[in-house]
Amino acid sequence: MNKKEIKYGLILNAAKSVFAEMGYHKASVSKIAKKAGIGDGTVYLYFSNKEDILKKLFHNTIHDDLSPKAEELVEGINDPRLKLYEFVRNHLHYFGDDYTLSRIIQIEARQSSSEIREAMKPGIRRYFTLIEAIIEDGQKKGVFRKDISKKTARQVIFGSLDEVVTCWVLSSRTYPLSSKVDEVYRALLTAVYNFSFIENFPWTMQPKEFSTK
Amino acid sequence: MNKKEIKYGLILNAAKSVFAEMGYHKASVSKIAKKAGIGDGTVYLYFSNKEDILKKLFHNTIHDDLSPKAEELVEGINDPRLKLYEFVRNHLHYFGDDYTLSRIIQIEARQSSSEIREAMKPGIRRYFTLIEAIIEDGQKKGVFRKDISKKTARQVIFGSLDEVVTCWVLSSRTYPLSSKVDEVYRALLTAVYNFSFIENFPWTMQPKEFSTK
Amino acid sequence: MNKKEIKYGLILNAAKSVFAEMGYHKASVSKIAKKAGIGDGTVYLYFSNKEDILKKLFHNTIHDDLSPKAEELVEGINDPRLKLYEFVRNHLHYFGDDYTLSRIIQIEARQSSSEIREAMKPGIRRYFTLIEAIIEDGQKKGVFRKDISKKTARQVIFGSLDEVVTCWVLSSRTYPLSSKVDEVYRALLTAVYNFSFIENFPWTMQPKEFSTK
Amino acid sequence: MNKKEIKYGLILNAAKSVFAEMGYHKASVSKIAKKAGIGDGTVYLYFSNKEDILKKLFHNTIHDDLSPKAEELVEGINDPRLKLYEFVRNHLHYFGDDYTLSRIIQIEARQSSSEIREAMKPGIRRYFTLIEAIIEDGQKKGVFRKDISKKTARQVIFGSLDEVVTCWVLSSRTYPLSSKVDEVYRALLTAVYNFSFIENFPWTMQPKEFSTK
DNA sequence: CATGAATGAGGGTTCATTCAT
DNA sequence: TATGAATGAACCCTCATTCAT
């Protein structure tokens, strides 16, 4: 790692803690620079502007770290259910182990403008693609239901995990996030599981049919 | 409705469209006032500050409108599964029918500071309580599983719905949100359903047990 | 006293306490109106603007109350020294008995713009005229020195009294202002006294002459 | 003097003339910056806020310039009467030579809030201490009377000088302030002079005794 | 490469004053 | 005469960004 990369990471780390501490909008570039032990102007040699720092922070985390880790983890697994389990476990451990990071991804990154969120899409898309790949694999193998699209399944899985992490962050971490793994996994597995081997699914029929009225 | 309430609503509506158009942080009080056809200072006769507008907008929506509607809808229903269905249907129709509102609730309200989000909690809590009541009812009646806590079930349900709406908003509404109702319902129902009547649930065992390795 | 005058006094009294409590600039017309138990707009039926209230308050006090009282007090006295004594005594008792008023006259009235101070001149001029009349009378009678002009004598007398009152106000009134009467009188009397009956006044010669060098 | 100090003085001078011209409250930071030929924000690199400028201006003048000068002047003098003379002369020349400064100190600085005046106290206290030291020295040497406390004597001296300067400022300077030196000195000297060597002081007796009634 | 002093646009908020009722 | 809702000008201050050194 050359000098440039070192300073780059230095700024990113400083930004991480400053954003987490005081929120994105109230954090000033000057404070980040001070924390990084460099001059204000130096920040602009590595990042084009304040939003760029947040974008890079997000991308570095989701696209360049979390996603590869999750991909690697899932790659060697055959059973789609186990893939899902490992994915859930990894997600909750990843954020549960780094509160500062969680706070930024869950709270501060959402304080950014539409444009910046747009710029974050590529990062999150890689993660989404992985989720959808797990689903698709499960559907092909007949383990996961086909009456729910990849996309919807992904939204349920990611939305659930996201909400669980956000609640944990906002709860001031009164419990370890990892303790939620099994429970969340159970819910998500059955959400996408293929129950077609069971005859008569009154619970999959249209609601009206089992209406008590 | 007296004059005061009319002007109050006037400002709230103006704020709604301005927030949706340019985002909370880039929206200026002056612009809201202009859109409402009133003087800048008048805004401060009805709201204590800019944040207050967003807070009231959120509270008026979630606590005073969406929640009561959902509560009423669910009240007369006996079957927990149907309750869940109606809840999901209502949520997606509610936001699907008002893009401007959805954009604010899903995107802009998250641009606010931690403090403001804290102030929004009471509003959302009423909605959360309703979800948990549905779950609890289903658990008592033996229809919903008991190996998932109310809180986790609520996180999965709300997180999923939230993500579905957010994706719809960010997708520039290329499809009607209501078209997602059945699919999402199917996933969420099975996520919380009580399958204990079926013997041998390999899919509920610990992942390791069905590991192919 | 008719209704009009009653309300006029009502506002003036409310203003007096509000100005004293929070200072002229931080006091709002609205707060004065509330304290007076009337509508905001009503204030403008009796006063042309906020500055006018302060002006009237000052004029009512200095020109219409303090000055006449002092004039009346001095009128029946023959000895200029006694006149001075009574004047000093009256001044310090007058302000010493009403802290709220003192605070406004000494502190708040000086926070006004040059224009407003200009408008206050007529009020204070009457008081100044009285002081100068006392001096002139003393000079005519040979009791007070003539090598100091009326105007300068007045500046010394008023300036001293003013400073004494101001210090008392700023001291949070840890002592009764009236306790200062004799001391201040002694100083002011000798300041203007005619010592020409004493031969050789080394202390009135030009300083250089008694220089020790 | 380095660059920083130059710009600091630049702003202070600009503020001095702007305050004098339009008064403290009507002067805007923006106008001061423009007069100093710098950007609005630059002001805040040298002063924490608008009040701070006034405070520093006052302190720089009274505490760091006028007081040391007066102290130095008085130091080498033995005769308390001469000390007083030099003090008076210096005071009137100091302000008489700089109308802009006088206007601010005499008029604008009094437009500030109580808090800011509180912050100005340390500056003026140094000046007060010097006056009291002169008095004390005179009392010890038997030249100044002891039936008037240091504090009261100081109030008379400072109050008189202050009033003389204020009247000069408000008179639009139709006469040189320095022309007042001898007259004012004569009054102040006799105000604090020890006349006990003269027997029978009818003019120091209680007023009642020489009452004509 | 690095700096940090300088910038200046921008915005939330207050409040004296007005005027329709 | 009395009201008080409405006004909108005015202002302090912040801070992301630049650029001369």
Side-chain angles (χ1 to χ4, degrees):
Chain A
M1 197 193 292
N2 57 26
K3 268 190 180 179
K4 203 155 185 175
E5 281 169 342
I6 289 175
K7 195 158 282 188
Y8 180 87
L10 212 60
I11 298 172
L12 228 42
N13 262 323
K16 194 173 111 174
S17 73
V18 174
F19 284 162
E21 191 193 339
M22 46 204 316
Y24 175 73
H25 275 102
K26 302 211 167 164
S28 71
V29 173
S30 193
K31 192 150 280 177
I32 294 170
K34 187 165 284 172
K35 188 135 211 163
I38 58 169
D40 290 19
T42 311
V43 172
Y44 288 84
L45 296 176
Y46 296 85
F47 299 89
S48 53
N49 52 39
K50 188 183 169 188
E51 286 198 342
D52 191 42
I53 304 175
L54 187 58
K55 267 194 281 189
K56 294 269 177 59
L57 197 52
F58 188 85
H59 201 265
N60 270 23
T61 303
I62 304 300
H63 186 274
D64 298 342
D65 192 49
L66 174 61
S67 290
K69 271 182 186 161
E71 286 166 8
E72 195 185 6
L73 197 65
V74 160
E75 211 168 347
I77 300 174
N78 220 337
D79 191 314
R81 296 167 298 184
L82 187 53
K83 277 186 181 176
L84 180 63
Y85 177 79
E86 287 300 328
F87 181 84
V88 168
R89 200 188 55 74
N90 182 63
H91 187 102
L92 296 182
H93 272 92
Y94 190 86
F95 288 106
D97 288 350
D98 191 344
Y99 170 72
T100 303
L101 182 69
S102 301
R103 177 155 202 103
I104 292 169
I105 301 297
Q106 303 297 131
I107 312 289
E108 307 309 334
R110 328 229 160 162
Q111 291 189 26
S112 51
S113 65
S114 308
E115 309 146 38
I116 200 177
R117 295 195 63 152
E118 205 64 28
M120 286 171 174
K121 273 189 179 174
I124 199 85
R125 191 158 292 160
R126 181 173 180 179
Y127 201 54
F128 283 178
T129 301
L130 173 59
I131 302 178
E132 295 184 17
I134 295 174
I135 297 299
E136 197 166 22
D137 180 52
Q139 288 176 331
K140 266 187 199 155
K141 290 176 177 158
V143 183
F144 291 164
R145 65 204 296 175
K146 285 175 185 136
D147 60 339
I148 292 178
S149 71
K150 272 190 310 185
K151 189 184 162 193
T152 299
R154 179 259 290 169
Q155 288 172 353
V156 168
I157 291 168
F158 182 78
S160 297
L161 289 172
D162 205 49
E163 178 72 11
V164 167
V165 177
T166 296
C167 286
W168 171 74
V169 167
L170 295 178
S171 77
S172 314
R173 299 159 287 159
T174 46
Y175 50 91
L177 185 53
S178 58
S179 69
K180 287 283 200 166
V181 173
D182 284 358
E183 220 179 357
V184 174
Y185 166 66
R186 278 199 293 272
L188 294 182
L189 176 64
T190 49
V192 298
Y193 204 76
N194 177 14
F195 291 105
S196 61
F197 65 89
I198 304 175
E199 295 172 38
N200 305 319
F201 320 100
W203 35 274
T204 60
M205 294 147 102
Q206 276 313 308
K208 284 153 247 164
E209 302 183 22
F210 56 70
S211 165
T212 57
K213 294 210 174 178
Chain B
M1 195 194 295
N2 59 27
K3 268 193 179 177
K4 206 151 187 175
E5 282 168 343
I6 290 174
K7 194 156 284 186
Y8 180 88
L10 208 63
I11 298 171
L12 227 43
N13 266 324
K16 198 172 107 172
S17 74
V18 174
F19 283 161
E21 189 193 341
M22 47 204 314
Y24 174 73
H25 275 104
K26 305 223 163 159
S28 72
V29 173
S30 195
K31 194 149 280 177
I32 294 171
K34 188 163 285 171
K35 187 133 210 164
I38 58 169
D40 290 18
T42 310
V43 172
Y44 290 85
L45 295 178
Y46 295 86
F47 301 89
S48 52
N49 51 40
K50 188 183 169 189
E51 281 197 352
D52 191 41
I53 305 175
L54 186 58
K55 269 194 280 191
K56 293 268 176 59
L57 197 53
F58 187 84
H59 202 265
N60 271 22
T61 302
I62 304 301
H63 186 273
D64 298 342
D65 191 48
L66 174 61
S67 290
K69 270 183 187 160
E71 285 166 10
E72 195 186 6
L73 197 65
V74 160
E75 210 168 349
I77 301 174
N78 220 338
D79 191 314
R81 295 167 298 184
L82 186 54
K83 278 185 180 175
L84 181 63
Y85 177 78
E86 286 300 328
F87 181 85
V88 168
R89 201 186 53 75
N90 182 64
H91 187 101
L92 296 182
H93 272 92
Y94 190 86
F95 288 105
D97 288 350
D98 190 344
Y99 169 71
T100 304
L101 182 68
S102 302
R103 173 152 203 105
I104 291 169
I105 301 297
Q106 301 299 131
I107 312 289
E108 308 310 334
R110 326 228 161 165
Q111 289 189 26
S112 52
S113 66
S114 308
E115 308 148 38
I116 200 177
R117 296 195 63 152
E118 204 64 27
M120 287 172 172
K121 273 190 179 174
I124 198 85
R125 192 159 291 162
R126 181 172 180 179
Y127 202 54
F128 283 177
T129 301
L130 175 59
I131 302 179
E132 295 185 16
I134 295 173
I135 297 299
E136 197 166 22
D137 180 52
Q139 289 176 331
K140 266 187 199 155
K141 289 175 177 157
V143 182
F144 291 165
R145 64 206 295 176
K146 286 175 184 134
D147 62 340
I148 291 179
S149 70
K150 273 191 309 187
K151 190 186 161 192
T152 300
R154 179 259 289 168
Q155 287 172 352
V156 167
I157 291 169
F158 182 78
S160 297
L161 288 172
D162 205 47
E163 179 70 12
V164 167
V165 176
T166 296
C167 287
W168 172 74
V169 168
L170 294 178
S171 78
S172 313
R173 300 158 287 158
T174 47
Y175 50 92
L177 185 53
S178 57
S179 69
K180 288 282 202 166
V181 173
D182 285 359
E183 220 180 357
V184 174
Y185 166 67
R186 278 199 292 274
L188 294 182
L189 176 65
T190 50
V192 298
Y193 206 75
N194 178 13
F195 292 106
S196 61
F197 64 90
I198 305 175
E199 293 173 40
N200 305 319
F201 320 99
W203 34 274
T204 61
M205 294 149 108
Q206 277 313 308
K208 284 153 247 165
E209 301 184 22
F210 57 71
S211 165
T212 58
K213 294 210 173 179
Chain C
M1 194 193 296
N2 56 27
K3 268 191 182 178
K4 203 155 184 174
E5 281 168 343
I6 289 174
K7 195 157 282 187
Y8 180 88
L10 212 61
I11 297 171
L12 229 41
N13 264 323
K16 195 172 111 173
S17 72
V18 174
F19 283 161
E21 191 193 340
M22 46 204 316
Y24 174 73
H25 275 103
K26 301 210 169 167
S28 69
V29 173
S30 192
K31 192 151 279 176
I32 294 170
K34 187 166 284 171
K35 188 134 208 165
I38 58 169
D40 289 18
T42 309
V43 173
Y44 288 84
L45 295 177
Y46 295 87
F47 300 90
S48 53
N49 52 39
K50 188 183 169 187
E51 286 197 343
D52 191 41
I53 305 175
L54 187 58
K55 268 194 283 189
K56 294 267 176 59
L57 197 53
F58 187 84
H59 201 265
N60 269 25
T61 302
I62 305 301
H63 187 273
D64 298 343
D65 191 50
L66 174 60
S67 290
K69 271 183 186 159
E71 285 165 11
E72 194 186 6
L73 197 65
V74 159
E75 212 168 347
I77 302 173
N78 220 336
D79 191 315
R81 296 168 298 185
L82 187 52
K83 277 185 182 175
L84 181 62
Y85 177 78
E86 287 299 328
F87 180 83
V88 169
R89 201 189 53 75
N90 182 64
H91 187 101
L92 295 183
H93 273 91
Y94 189 85
F95 288 106
D97 288 350
D98 191 344
Y99 169 73
T100 303
L101 182 68
S102 302
R103 175 153 204 104
I104 291 168
I105 301 297
Q106 302 298 131
I107 311 289
E108 308 310 334
R110 327 230 160 162
Q111 290 189 26
S112 50
S113 66
S114 309
E115 308 147 40
I116 199 176
R117 296 194 63 152
E118 206 63 28
M120 286 171 174
K121 273 189 178 173
I124 198 84
R125 191 158 291 160
R126 181 173 180 177
Y127 202 56
F128 283 176
T129 301
L130 174 60
I131 302 178
E132 295 184 17
I134 294 174
I135 298 299
E136 197 165 23
D137 181 52
Q139 289 177 331
K140 267 187 196 155
K141 289 174 177 157
V143 183
F144 290 165
R145 65 203 298 176
K146 287 176 185 132
D147 62 339
I148 291 178
S149 70
K150 273 191 309 187
K151 190 184 161 193
T152 301
R154 179 259 290 170
Q155 287 171 354
V156 169
I157 292 169
F158 183 77
S160 297
L161 289 172
D162 205 48
E163 179 71 11
V164 168
V165 177
T166 297
C167 286
W168 171 74
V169 167
L170 295 179
S171 78
S172 314
R173 301 159 284 159
T174 46
Y175 50 91
L177 186 52
S178 56
S179 70
K180 288 283 201 167
V181 172
D182 286 359
E183 220 180 356
V184 174
Y185 167 67
R186 279 199 293 272
L188 294 182
L189 177 64
T190 50
V192 298
Y193 205 76
N194 179 13
F195 291 104
S196 61
F197 64 91
I198 306 175
E199 296 172 36
N200 304 320
F201 320 98
W203 34 272
T204 61
M205 294 149 105
Q206 276 316 308
K208 284 152 245 163
E209 303 182 22
F210 56 71
S211 167
T212 59
K213 293 211 174 178
Chain D
M1 195 193 294
N2 57 28
K3 269 192 178 177
K4 206 151 188 176
E5 281 167 344
I6 290 174
K7 193 155 283 185
Y8 180 87
L10 208 63
I11 298 171
L12 227 43
N13 266 323
K16 198 172 106 172
S17 73
V18 174
F19 284 161
E21 191 193 339
M22 48 204 313
Y24 174 73
H25 274 103
K26 304 221 165 161
S28 72
V29 173
S30 195
K31 193 150 279 176
I32 294 170
K34 189 164 283 172
K35 187 131 209 164
I38 58 170
D40 289 18
T42 310
V43 173
Y44 290 86
L45 294 177
Y46 295 86
F47 300 90
S48 52
N49 51 41
K50 189 184 168 188
E51 282 197 352
D52 191 42
I53 304 175
L54 186 58
K55 268 193 282 189
K56 294 267 176 61
L57 197 52
F58 188 85
H59 202 265
N60 271 23
T61 302
I62 304 300
H63 187 273
D64 297 343
D65 192 50
L66 174 61
S67 290
K69 271 182 186 161
E71 285 166 11
E72 195 186 4
L73 198 64
V74 160
E75 210 168 349
I77 302 173
N78 220 336
D79 191 314
R81 296 168 297 186
L82 187 52
K83 277 186 183 176
L84 181 62
Y85 176 78
E86 288 299 328
F87 180 85
V88 168
R89 200 188 54 74
N90 182 64
H91 187 101
L92 296 181
H93 273 92
Y94 189 86
F95 288 106
D97 288 349
D98 190 344
Y99 168 72
T100 304
L101 182 67
S102 302
R103 175 152 202 105
I104 292 169
I105 301 296
Q106 301 298 132
I107 312 289
E108 307 312 334
R110 325 227 164 166
Q111 290 187 27
S112 51
S113 65
S114 308
E115 307 148 39
I116 201 177
R117 296 194 65 151
E118 205 62 28
M120 286 171 172
K121 273 189 177 173
I124 199 85
R125 192 159 291 160
R126 181 173 179 177
Y127 203 55
F128 283 176
T129 301
L130 174 59
I131 302 178
E132 295 185 16
I134 295 173
I135 298 299
E136 197 166 23
D137 181 52
Q139 289 176 332
K140 267 187 198 153
K141 290 175 176 158
V143 183
F144 291 165
R145 64 202 300 175
K146 286 177 185 134
D147 61 339
I148 291 178
S149 69
K150 273 189 311 184
K151 190 185 161 194
T152 300
R154 179 258 289 170
Q155 287 171 354
V156 168
I157 292 169
F158 183 78
S160 298
L161 289 171
D162 205 48
E163 180 70 12
V164 168
V165 177
T166 297
C167 286
W168 171 74
V169 168
L170 294 178
S171 77
S172 314
R173 301 157 284 159
T174 48
Y175 51 92
L177 186 53
S178 56
S179 69
K180 288 282 202 166
V181 173
D182 285 358
E183 220 180 356
V184 173
Y185 167 66
R186 279 199 292 274
L188 294 182
L189 177 64
T190 50
V192 298
Y193 205 75
N194 179 13
F195 292 104
S196 60
F197 64 90
I198 305 174
E199 295 173 36
N200 305 322
F201 321 97
W203 34 273
T204 61
M205 294 150 105
Q206 276 315 308
K208 283 152 247 163
E209 302 182 22
F210 54 72
S211 166
T212 59
K213 293 211 174 180

